[in-house]
Amino acid sequence: MSNKAGGFSASVDAMYDRAVGLMDLSPGLAEKIRVCNATYTVRFGVRLRGAIHTFTGYRSVHSEHMEPVKGGIRYALAVNQDEVEALASLMTYKCALVETPFGGSKGGLCIDPTQWEAHELELITRRFAYELIKRDLINPAQNVPAPDMGTGEREMAWISDQYQRMHTTDINGRACVTGKPPHAGGIAGRVEATGRGVQYALQEFFRHEEDKAAAGLAGTLDGKRVIVQGLGNVGFHAASFLAAEDGARITAVIERDGAVTNEAGLDVEGLQAHIRRTGGVRNFAGGHYVEDGSSVLEMDCDILIPAALEGVIHKDNAARVKAPLIIEAANGPVTAEANEILLDRGCVIIPDLYANAGGVTVSYFEWVKNLSHIRFGRMQRRAEEARHHVLVNELERLSKNKNVAWTLSEDFKRNYLRGAGELELVRSGLDDTMRGAYGAMREVWHGRNDVPDLRTAGFIVSISRIAASYQAKGL
Ligand code: GLU
């Protein structure tokens, strides 16, 4: 039986059950895939400011059909077992959909990271990591965390170092965690990856006339009015790439202390700098301040990007949300009940298990890089450039010999001659992943007449792959 008790897990389960209802899966296997395999709870003390403080943390393993299992570690006061388990299950479905060879996991620590100094957070993080490492809940072959809300490169570097101190002879030690800074085994483009993935997902959606039509949209992303909820790492990168590279207009940003709107389009970088300086969006000169931020979710727009917490669109506000297209940059921003209400009124939702998979996709590249001990492109880059030079030199020789009236522009030569570095390769791999996964979802969405939405299609693709993997193991 699915978890019907309410809450985040129940919401993910309801979406899962909806897809399973359309599949030919034995009830036993459906149940095996749905349940969370294990959740480890740890309470540990750290001496800080002259007293012992006790912290509670979790690492949940949803599915080990592939190992290592993968998923971020969240630092927030609201972290709880149900949330961590729901997020771990989303990791399983997400990894299967974008074909990263991982099972699903997630971790969390109940802490408000803004209340502690960096050196205190380091002690807390190292102690939490120690507890998980000694139980192989952080391990390059078994369980590989990454950043999530409240954590970033810095915390991942501490975790990686902690693992390596405890496993001094493990040559693959750096692969125990992803999202590390570049100088500590990280990969170019990981910080922006989830936001970049949201952009690539939207670009792919806009390549399909039929899909745009389902949302009542047409044309390109150029000029589209976009509302972003949460200007954290994911929301910020998605918004700035969409504005700078696709010509979208960010007409509103919703943050903790309210929202700012500007029909002409907000300056996203300027707004982020303002938030960093003042702690919120209030008094931002480039827009109109609205105290009741959540009311802005209901404003007219073309695309709504919830990029912060789960459950922000729920049964009580869903009917008032006007966006024809929602792309879930956060995990679980639309509850199962809200999902039904939105689908009934024709809203198209690009679901979280696809939309925010850019992070884990680039984490996969980082993990492979760590295991292969070499930066992507290091062997090929100059060889590629040399071959391009041969072609350009030959074309130039021919044009001189035959007195041809054309020359290659300097701009063309600069772009063509340059071999791909790590960042370009990462972006290319991410773009390819997002296109491929969308294609798989879309085939089910349009190819079957009993699949009404992209989320159900995404779940069907994921669940079939996970089921195949369990069946191959003989289960
Ligand atoms: N925390 C991110 C997510 O929810 C990234 C996970 C990872 O890279 O393992 O997808």
Side-chain angles (χ1 to χ4, degrees):
M1 266 290 286
S2 298
N3 175 3
K4 304 279 188 214
F8 193 3
S9 286
S11 188
V12 177
D13 283 355
M15 293 166 178
Y16 173 89
D17 288 343
R18 184 192 235 260
V20 166
L22 299 171
M23 296 174 73
D24 185 20
L25 211 63
S26 77
L29 185 55
E31 167 81 353
K32 170 67 206 86
I33 295 174
R34 186 186 57 71
V35 295
C36 176
N37 287 4
T39 300
Y40 174 70
T41 307
V42 57
R43 295 180 189 85
F44 58 91
V46 186
R47 183 176 287 279
L48 298 160
R49 304 177 189 178
I52 292 177
H53 295 260
T54 300
F55 298 90
T56 304
Y58 305 92
R59 186 77 185 161
S60 179
V61 175
H62 174 260
S63 177
E64 293 150 289
H65 67 288
M66 283 200 190
E67 285 186 311
V69 293
K70 190 90 189 73
I73 292 184
R74 176 173 289 198
Y75 280 7
L77 276 181
V79 161
N80 60 70
Q81 183 168 344
D82 178 73
E83 182 190 53
V84 173
E85 291 186 355
L87 292 166
S89 70
L90 282 174
M91 286 308 304
T92 298
Y93 308 130
K94 193 186 306 190
C95 289
L97 183 58
V98 294
E99 298 185 290
T100 53
F102 304 129
S105 183
K106 201 82 176 196
L109 186 64
C110 304
I111 187 173
D112 176 356
T114 64
Q115 296 308 303
W116 300 95
E117 304 287 334
H119 70 276
E120 295 169 326
L121 277 173
E122 178 174 354
L123 288 175
I124 299 164
T125 302
R126 283 185 182 277
R127 183 59 207 271
F128 183 31
Y130 169 82
E131 296 293 336
L132 299 180
I133 293 164
K134 73 176 182 188
R135 291 171 179 87
D136 286 334
L137 288 163
I138 296 177
N139 181 299
Q142 272 183 232
N143 196 325
V144 181
D148 199 77
M149 254 176 58
T151 58
E153 289 186 333
R154 181 183 65 174
E155 287 72 18
M156 302 307 117
W158 290 331
I159 293 173
S160 168
D161 184 64
Q162 186 65 33
Y163 179 89
Q164 287 172 88
R165 284 186 192 190
M166 294 165 70
H167 294 88
T168 49
T169 57
D170 184 349
I171 197 168
N172 294 320
R174 277 184 161 180
C176 75
V177 64
T178 58
K180 302 176 291 292
H183 55 271
I187 194 167
R190 175 61 185 86
V191 174
E192 65 169 48
T194 314
R196 185 63 80 183
V198 171
Q199 177 198 25
Y200 288 163
L202 276 174
Q203 288 177 349
E204 180 58 14
F205 179 86
F206 271 80
R207 285 189 192 104
H208 300 280
E209 293 304 325
E210 205 182 343
D211 303 5
K212 280 184 281 183
L217 293 169
T220 65
L221 281 163
D222 194 23
K224 292 284 179 294
R225 295 161 308 153
V226 178
I227 298 179
V228 179
Q229 187 254 341
L231 208 62
N233 180 41
V234 180
F236 168 73
H237 283 107
S240 50
F241 295 148
L242 287 166
E245 297 169 18
D246 299 292
R249 263 186 297 152
I250 310 301
T251 50
V253 166
I254 306 164
E255 262 290 327
R256 261 173 230 133
D257 65 327
V260 270
T261 66
N262 184 340
E263 269 303 300
L266 289 158
D267 162 18
V268 180
E269 278 78 19
L271 180 58
Q272 190 201 42
H274 178 84
I275 297 172
R276 286 214 170 122
R277 217 173 32 246
T278 66
V281 293
R282 192 190 288 264
N283 297 326
F284 178 61
H288 167 71
Y289 176 70
V290 182
E291 183 138 24
D292 178 12
S294 59
S295 68
V296 174
L297 283 171
E298 300 162 20
M299 255 176 51
D300 255 332
C301 66
D302 298 308
I303 305 169
L304 173 60
I305 311 185
L309 268 182
E310 58 264 18
V312 288
I313 303 173
H314 44 77
K315 68 173 183 0
D316 300 323
N317 65 359
R320 295 192 302 273
V321 170
K322 296 186 194 67
L325 177 63
I326 298 178
I327 175 158
E328 297 181 329
N331 286 307
V334 174
T335 66
E337 284 163 316
N339 192 52
E340 298 301 314
I341 297 170
L342 290 164
L343 293 182
D344 277 351
R345 75 141 179 76
C347 174
V348 172
I349 303 176
I350 306 180
D352 46 8
L353 67 158
Y354 167 69
N356 69 40
V360 75
T361 301
V362 177
S363 277
Y364 169 43
F365 302 154
E366 180 177 333
W367 182 72
V368 170
K369 173 186 176 178
N370 292 154
L371 295 178
S372 55
H373 301 269
I374 189 163
R375 161 170 56 79
F376 288 108
R378 182 162 174 181
M379 302 296 280
Q380 308 91 320
R381 184 177 193 166
R382 303 301 166 193
E384 194 187 329
E385 287 182 357
R387 258 204 317 280
H388 288 182
H389 267 287
V390 172
L391 179 65
V392 165
N393 291 345
E394 186 63 6
L395 287 172
E396 288 189 326
R397 190 185 64 80
L398 284 174
S399 78
K400 276 194 203 103
N401 281 356
K402 307 261 184 264
N403 264 335
V404 182
W406 53 259
T407 50
L408 299 172
S409 76
E410 286 309 310
D411 203 33
F412 166 81
K413 283 201 279 186
R414 209 177 17 260
N415 285 325
Y416 183 71
L417 290 174
R418 205 188 55 227
E422 187 171 76
L423 183 59
E424 279 167 286
L425 292 170
V426 163
R427 286 182 182 162
S428 151
L430 176 58
D431 194 10
D432 186 57
T433 302
M434 297 310 287
R435 291 186 200 215
Y438 189 79
M441 275 196 311
R442 186 169 193 276
E443 217 176 285
V444 175
W445 184 27
H446 295 308
R448 288 174 57 154
N449 49 22
D450 57 349
V451 178
D453 62 304
L454 273 168
R455 190 192 313 276
T456 309
F459 268 102
I460 290 177
V461 173
S462 288
I463 298 166
S464 338
R465 290 181 182 162
I466 300 161
S469 157
Y470 272 121
Q471 272 152 356
K473 283 174 189 254
L475 200 79

